[in-house]
Amino acid sequence: MSPSPAYDVVVAGGGPAGCAAALALVRAGRTVLLADSGTGPPKTGEALVSVGRLVLADLGVEQPVLGRGHLPCHGNLSAWGSSELQAVDALHDPYGHGWHLDRPLFDRRLRAAARRAGAEVTEHTAVRRTSRQPDGTWRLALCDRTGGSGERTVRCRWILDATGRGAAIAVRSGARRRRGDRLTALHLTLDPAPRTALDGRSLVESDQDGWWYTALLPSRRRLVAYFTDPDLPGAAGGAERFRDRLLATRHISQRARPHGLRPLRPPRRAPAHSAHLDRVHGDGWTAAGDAAVAFDPLSSQGILTALYTGLSAGEAVDARLRGDRSALDDYAAKVTTARTAYQRGHRAAHAQETRWSERPFWARRRRDTQPNTLR
C-alpha cells in the first residue's frame, strides 16, 4: 500500500481566512492542502472595508479578487443615537471606497488564486478524525461531502483551523470558545426593485430592541437584516412580524419598499455574537478567522479580520516550521491586539445610543462596557 500523501500544512476551511493562510504558506514554499467543506447557508451581503485592499495586495491577489462583480460602497449612513441620518463619505477615506461583496464569487476567486499559487484545493471536503502521531505529524481523514470519492487519509506537519465560528479542530484539540453576547441576525434578501436609483451606501438604524442594516447587493437585490438577542420581542415571529417591524423603521423601510414587501419570505437566522478562543494555537495547530475571533457585524470588520488573521497565521506557521518558537505567540498577540481594538470601538458605539437605555438589549450592552468582557 502506498503511503498517505504528506503536506506541510492542511488548511481546514476555504473562506477568506483559510485562503489567505494558504496563499501566505505557498508563497513561503510550503506544500499546502486547502480543504473547503462548502457547508452552511450561502453567504450574502457581506462588505469589505477599503483597507482590505491592502491585505489582498500583500497576498498578491487584489486585482483578480476585487475585479468586476462586486458593488462599490461609497459611504455609510446611520441613524444611531438620533433619528436623523448621519453620513460618512468614502471620499474622505485615504484608501478609497469599500465593497458590497458577491460573497460566493469573492470566495471562489480566493480559492482559485490559492490554486494558481500552488496549493492543492479540494472543495466539498471536510477534515475529520484528526489524530496526532508519535512522530509529531497529524493523520486526518478528508471526507467528500458530495458522496463521490468517499474518504482518504492524509498526513501533515501542521493544521490550520479556519472552520468558522465552530472552530471544530481547535475545540477538539482542547481550546475553549468564549462568547461575549447572544446577538442573532434575522435577514432576508429582497427582489430587485423595478425602478430605483443605484445607491452603494450601507444604512444602519437602531431601534429599542436592536438595530437594522440594509445594503444593495451586486445582484441589485437588497439585503435587510435585524440584529437582536434571541430572547427579545424582535426575534420572535415569522414573515409578518418581521415585515411589521421593518415598516416601523424610519429609514430602512424607505429603501425596502421599492423592492416589494408582499409576499415576504420568513427571514433566515444566523449567529452574530462576539466570540473568541481562549488560545489560538496549540500542539501542531493554529486558528484563524472566525475560528480565532469573531466580531459583532456592527464593526464591519469581519472579512478584513479574516484576511488579516489568515495571512498572519500562515506567516506564523511557516516561521514555526522553520524553528521560530516565538512566532505563534507573536501571532496570538496580534489577535489579542485586534480584539482589544474591537472591544474599544464596540463599547464606544453602543454608548452613543442612549434613547432606549433601559431596554434589555441596550442595558446589557451598557452593563458590558468594562474591558475584557469577552471571557
Side-chain angles (χ1 to χ4, degrees):
M1 180 180 295
S2 60
S4 301
Y7 302 89
D8 287 325
V9 183
V10 169
V11 179
C19 290
L23 283 161
L25 286 159
V26 295
R27 289 173 61 190
R30 298 296 173 186
T31 54
V32 177
L33 172 70
L34 176 64
D36 175 44
S37 66
T39 58
K43 304 287 188 180
T44 58
E46 296 194 58
L48 178 65
V49 293
S50 61
V51 71
R53 70 168 76 241
L54 300 185
V55 184
L56 292 171
D58 286 345
L59 291 166
V61 298
E62 178 188 357
Q63 292 303 318
V65 172
L66 289 179
R68 295 179 60 183
H70 308 300
L71 183 66
C73 176
H74 292 290
N76 303 287
L77 300 169
S78 64
W80 188 278
S82 166
S83 61
E84 300 301 320
L85 279 182
Q86 302 294 320
V88 176
D89 199 307
L91 288 173
H92 304 294
D93 190 320
Y95 303 108
H97 63 75
W99 295 266
H100 296 299
L101 298 176
D102 179 332
R103 180 59 193 278
L105 176 65
F106 184 75
D107 287 4
R108 286 197 304 272
R109 286 176 174 172
L110 279 172
R111 289 194 292 271
R115 185 181 286 112
R116 287 193 301 270
E120 179 182 338
V121 179
T122 60
E123 299 189 338
H124 307 292
T125 301
V127 175
R128 295 285 187 266
R129 293 197 301 282
T130 57
S131 61
R132 200 79 161 117
Q133 301 300 296
D135 64 358
T137 63
W138 287 91
R139 182 182 177 90
L140 51 90
L142 300 178
C143 302
D144 184 347
R145 301 187 64 86
T146 66
S149 58
E151 180 178 301
R152 66 181 174 120
T153 301
V154 300
R155 290 182 298 111
C156 65
R157 298 173 65 188
W158 210 271
I159 298 179
L160 201 146
D161 185 349
T163 58
R165 288 174 179 269
I169 292 166
V171 170
R172 287 203 299 267
S173 300
R176 298 181 65 183
R177 193 74 168 153
R178 308 294 194 187
R179 288 182 55 156
D181 53 52
R182 301 176 61 199
L183 191 69
T184 298
L186 287 78
H187 64 95
L188 54 80
T189 304
L190 304 177
D191 292 333
R195 291 179 298 276
T196 187
L198 180 62
D199 187 345
R201 296 178 296 178
S202 62
L203 170 61
V204 170
E205 181 176 356
S206 55
D207 77 3
Q208 60 185 3
D209 291 323
W211 55 275
W212 290 87
Y213 171 87
T214 189
L216 203 61
L217 303 179
S219 63
R220 303 304 188 263
R221 296 176 181 271
R222 177 170 291 279
L223 173 71
V224 178
Y226 185 57
F227 296 87
T228 187
D229 291 336
D231 61 328
L232 299 182
E240 287 304 310
R241 291 281 297 274
F242 187 86
R243 178 181 179 275
D244 291 344
R245 200 170 190 95
L246 168 60
L247 290 175
T249 63
R250 178 176 178 179
H251 303 288
I252 298 286
S253 60
Q254 292 180 15
R255 284 151 179 80
R257 286 178 189 275
H259 294 264
L261 297 178
R262 286 191 183 278
L264 197 67
R265 296 178 296 275
R268 294 176 177 268
R269 290 176 179 261
H273 56 270
S274 305
H276 72 282
L277 288 176
D278 63 347
R279 54 195 174 101
V280 295
H281 67 88
D283 182 22
W285 65 268
T286 306
D290 280 355
V293 59
F295 295 159
D296 183 324
L298 185 64
S299 70
S300 300
Q301 300 294 307
I303 302 295
L304 174 64
T305 302
L307 292 170
Y308 171 71
T309 58
L311 168 60
S312 300
E315 292 175 340
V317 169
D318 170 61
R320 176 64 182 84
L321 292 175
R322 286 189 282 105
D324 184 349
R325 294 191 172 274
S326 67
L328 291 172
D329 287 339
D330 292 343
Y331 165 67
K334 289 181 179 179
V335 175
T336 298
T337 298
R339 184 164 63 88
T340 300
Y342 156 75
Q343 288 177 313
R344 188 181 304 115
H346 189 263
R347 292 194 299 270
H350 286 84
Q352 292 173 10
E353 182 53 86
T354 59
R355 290 175 291 170
W356 303 288
S357 58
E358 300 307 314
R359 299 284 297 189
F361 180 88
W362 300 101
R364 290 166 182 171
R365 282 142 183 91
R366 188 177 70 254
R367 184 174 63 246
D368 296 335
T369 56
Q370 297 303 312
N372 302 315
T373 57
L374 296 181
R375 291 184 291 270

